[in-house]
Amino acid sequence: IEVTTVGEEANRGDSLGFGQPCCSLGSSSPWLYRTAGIFPEHGTQEKKMALYFGEAPQASKSQRSGCHGRAASEARPGGPTAAASGRPFPTHPRRPFRAGVVRGPTMLVTAYLAFVGLLASCLGLELSRCRAKPPGRACSNPSFLRFQLDFYQVYFLALAADWLQAPYLYKLYQHYYFLEGQIAILYVCGLASTVLFGLVASSLVDRLGRKNSCVLFSLTYSLCCLTKLSQDYFVLLVGRVLGGLSTALLFSAFEAWYIHEHVERHDFPAEWIPATFARAAFWNHVLAVVAGVASEAVASWIGLGPVAPFVAAIPLLALAGALALRNWEENYDRQRAFSRTCAGGLRCLLSDRRVLLLGTIQALFESVIFIFVFLWTPVLDPHGAPLGIVFSSFMAASLLGSSLYRIATSKRYHLQPMHLLSLAVLIVVFSLFMLTFSTSPGQESPVESFIAFLLIELACGLYFPSMSFLRRKVIPETEQAGVLNWFRVPLHLLACLGLLVLHDSDRKTGTRNMFSICSAVMVMALLAVVGLFTVVRHDAELRVPSPTEEPYAPEL
């Protein structure tokens, strides 16, 4: 074991156990050192343990004092250990070691069983739905199918590259020895850039052109992935800003290009647009499931560690940009002043109580989901969970929720989106209460936490199509962009405040306290749902259309 102290050269190289096979446990979290009694609690310097595996060579006293090792891998109690590396000894270099990830058998088996079970359930529901669904008019039109294919080729590559990075983002920052508070700041920076660029994304896309904006997305997101190769904190912050810009372009430019081409250039019926995005929403879930498995494979096999999925995403982004340049035509739209858009959205928000309640629900619910995205990795990773498979399980649970939504709103059961929205919020409230107990310091239950996370994703599968349907019915089409801008501001503000609160707290108690706060936030969302239900319970406009009416397009 070699103990190094950052910033204190005199203490470097103190070693013991030379000539013996050794395996040690270390972490960049100061609380672990104090708990283990390695360093005193009142120490002012950040401490790190350098881990070495295999046989260390015999060394003299002078050689020991002259050896400057580096912290090479990080592990947590009961969790995986990253690959070890360090500077060789002056005269006898260490034997190279290729470290593997030690996984806890309970979480490993649970993750794979959950993934297989959820995937089988989704496949069963989708196959039964496809057999019962008659072929539509849009699906038999060759010109429309070719146009759809040109759109899907680019769009699905962009979505796949986006999903491929999701499972290992937190793990990558942890692999670079950043503390949880520093990682929280990186996430806050990404959320803030997303909301800022999201406010002006529509105007930017209209000014640059939809095709050019999609190509710009490929370039900025590729640069974002390249920044992940650096361990410099400022470079990673710049990468988060680029990621926020790319996210804003992904969810504005592609859809705007398709709708304009569909109606203006090809003159297809507008009633076919929801069918295209309904199919895109389904395959978006499928891509997310596959991306989780792929990220697990490349992170384990390529040898680059947690940065591997980000490197693998770059060719997909380059291919998406190249296909857009070759196959797509440019289109523009007349620009509406940003101030007029926001002013019209604010008037709509304040004049209609239904819109105000809907915005409150969205801000509260989705801010909790953003915090969940940050917390699931540090909760499950210390117990040996395979992050890519866990992420695929989450996406399979969300896909199952979407399938259940379609079944529940079908002619057979005829439940309304308002009922399913209420159910989704109730499920999340219950799951967060589970997490406050399963993440208690010293009494962690990773399997219970994993089940709670799966329930949250199942609720998301019910929530997003329900919310999308209600927004389309309640908010006038001309004011949707402005109203959604006002929805995003409190949403991201709440998420950023939550992460900043977590940044200022102890890791273990902070995680549990954050889930408690999220539970209280979701109870407020439930009260808003009750208020909305009271207002709209007799509103026939908010009932789901019959199967003979236009198809429904769930939100991506």
Side-chain angles (χ1 to χ4, degrees):
I1 302 175
E2 182 177 13
V3 178
T4 67
T5 307
V6 177
E8 296 176 3
E9 293 290 337
N11 291 339
R12 292 192 180 185
D14 293 340
S15 310
L16 56 94
F18 278 85
Q20 301 295 328
C22 63
C23 177
S24 60
L25 176 69
S27 170
S28 61
S29 303
W31 67 267
L32 175 60
Y33 303 141
R34 294 194 291 268
T35 304
I38 299 173
F39 296 112
E41 185 168 358
H42 59 270
T44 58
Q45 299 287 338
E46 290 185 7
K47 315 295 183 180
K48 288 188 178 181
M49 251 188 168
L51 308 185
Y52 291 93
F53 295 81
E55 286 192 15
Q58 298 288 344
S60 65
K61 179 70 176 180
S62 60
Q63 286 175 325
R64 296 177 197 175
S65 61
C67 175
H68 299 280
R70 291 183 179 178
S73 65
E74 181 177 6
R76 287 157 306 282
T81 303
S85 63
R87 185 177 300 175
F89 286 88
T91 56
H92 305 285
R94 282 188 301 115
R95 184 174 58 194
F97 175 79
R98 183 176 179 179
V101 176
V102 182
R103 302 199 186 278
T106 302
M107 271 307 304
L108 188 69
V109 173
T110 302
Y112 276 96
L113 286 178
F115 174 63
V116 172
L118 289 166
L119 197 59
S121 301
C122 293
L123 287 174
L125 289 176
E126 290 300 324
L127 288 175
S128 62
R129 185 180 69 88
C130 290
R131 283 195 298 266
K133 182 180 178 181
R137 176 181 156 208
C139 296
S140 60
N141 187 302
S143 299
F144 178 70
L145 289 177
R146 283 195 299 270
F147 170 61
Q148 266 192 337
L149 181 60
D150 287 341
F151 172 68
Y152 285 154
Q153 283 177 340
V154 178
Y155 191 41
F156 287 165
L157 283 171
L159 290 174
D162 185 43
W163 286 123
L164 192 63
Q165 306 169 49
Y168 278 90
L169 180 60
Y170 187 101
K171 181 69 175 178
L172 177 69
Y173 296 144
Q174 203 175 46
H175 181 70
Y176 290 158
Y177 303 114
F178 294 119
L179 301 177
E180 188 169 21
Q182 295 172 304
I183 300 174
I185 295 298
L186 288 170
Y187 272 75
V188 168
C189 184
L191 288 175
S193 63
T194 298
V195 68
L196 290 177
F197 287 119
L199 293 174
V200 298
S202 297
S203 301
L204 178 65
V205 167
D206 291 339
R207 180 180 296 273
L208 292 178
R210 279 70 180 270
K211 172 185 170 181
N212 290 335
S213 298
C214 294
V215 175
L216 178 63
F217 157 82
S218 300
L219 293 175
T220 56
Y221 220 5
S222 297
L223 290 174
C224 174
C225 293
L226 287 174
T227 61
K228 301 300 188 295
L229 296 171
S230 172
Q231 298 186 31
D232 185 84
Y233 194 75
F234 178 76
V235 173
L236 293 173
L237 282 174
V238 172
R240 292 297 290 169
V241 174
L242 291 173
L245 172 60
S246 304
T247 301
L249 292 174
L250 176 62
F251 295 110
S252 58
F254 289 85
E255 180 179 344
W257 179 90
Y258 176 83
I259 293 174
H260 186 278
E261 293 290 308
H262 181 105
V263 176
E264 301 295 334
R265 190 182 302 274
H266 294 278
D267 197 25
F268 292 127
E271 292 78 14
W272 292 2
I273 294 176
T276 296
F277 288 109
R279 183 176 296 177
F282 170 76
W283 286 106
N284 180 49
H285 279 105
V286 174
L287 286 171
V289 173
V290 175
V293 178
S295 66
E296 180 73 19
V298 297
S300 301
W301 298 344
I302 289 183
L304 296 177
V307 78
F310 300 90
V311 176
I314 295 176
L316 299 179
L317 293 167
L319 184 57
L323 288 175
L325 279 173
R326 191 187 71 174
N327 298 334
W328 287 12
E329 299 290 337
E330 185 59 275
N331 62 60
Y332 300 87
D333 197 5
R334 63 182 183 87
Q335 301 172 28
R336 185 183 180 187
F338 177 71
S339 57
R340 290 182 57 191
T341 300
C342 291
L346 183 60
R347 282 195 301 269
C348 179
L349 188 66
L350 298 178
S351 61
D352 192 337
R353 189 183 174 193
R354 300 177 305 169
V355 178
L356 184 61
L357 287 170
L358 207 61
T360 302
I361 297 167
Q362 178 176 341
L364 296 175
F365 186 98
E366 296 184 24
S367 62
V368 169
I369 299 304
F370 274 117
I371 295 173
F372 151 71
V373 168
F374 175 82
L375 288 177
W376 73 266
T377 302
V379 170
L380 297 180
D381 185 45
H383 303 280
L387 298 181
I389 302 302
V390 167
F391 181 80
S392 293
S393 301
F394 290 165
M395 296 300 101
S398 180
L399 177 59
L400 180 61
S402 297
S403 300
L404 291 175
Y405 174 87
R406 287 192 290 270
I407 293 173
T409 54
S410 64
K411 187 177 180 180
R412 181 176 181 181
Y413 297 101
H414 205 58
L415 290 176
Q416 298 304 318
M418 194 67 232
H419 303 147
L420 298 175
L421 180 66
S422 306
L423 177 62
V425 175
L426 276 173
I427 291 174
V428 175
V429 171
F430 172 74
S431 302
L432 290 170
F433 276 121
M434 282 182 62
L435 287 166
T436 58
F437 294 101
S438 63
T439 57
S440 298
Q443 300 178 352
E444 294 89 350
S445 178
V447 174
E448 290 181 12
S449 299
F450 180 52
I451 294 172
F453 290 149
L454 289 176
L455 289 175
I456 291 176
E457 286 290 348
L458 178 70
C460 288
L462 295 171
Y463 164 85
F464 283 108
S466 302
M467 177 60 72
S468 178
F469 175 86
L470 293 172
R471 275 206 308 259
R472 288 193 301 120
K473 296 295 183 180
V474 169
I475 306 173
E477 185 176 355
T478 56
E479 304 296 343
Q480 283 196 11
V483 171
L484 290 179
N485 284 340
W486 288 105
F487 283 5
R488 291 189 188 103
V489 171
L491 188 161
H492 289 85
L493 181 61
L494 287 172
C496 291
L497 287 175
L499 292 178
L500 290 175
V501 169
L502 186 65
H503 165 258
D504 290 331
S505 60
D506 178 71
R507 194 189 82 87
K508 287 291 185 179
T509 58
T511 299
R512 186 193 182 193
N513 292 341
M514 183 52 58
F515 284 127
S516 301
I517 294 172
C518 289
S519 301
V521 171
M522 286 309 301
V523 170
M524 295 169 59
L526 185 60
L527 295 176
V529 168
V530 173
L532 180 62
F533 187 80
T534 303
V535 172
V536 304
R537 58 181 172 179
H538 299 304
D539 194 341
E541 183 187 4
L542 299 184
R543 295 187 176 276
V544 72
S546 64
T548 58
E549 297 180 35
E550 72 173 58
Y552 165 68
E555 182 178 284
L556 294 181

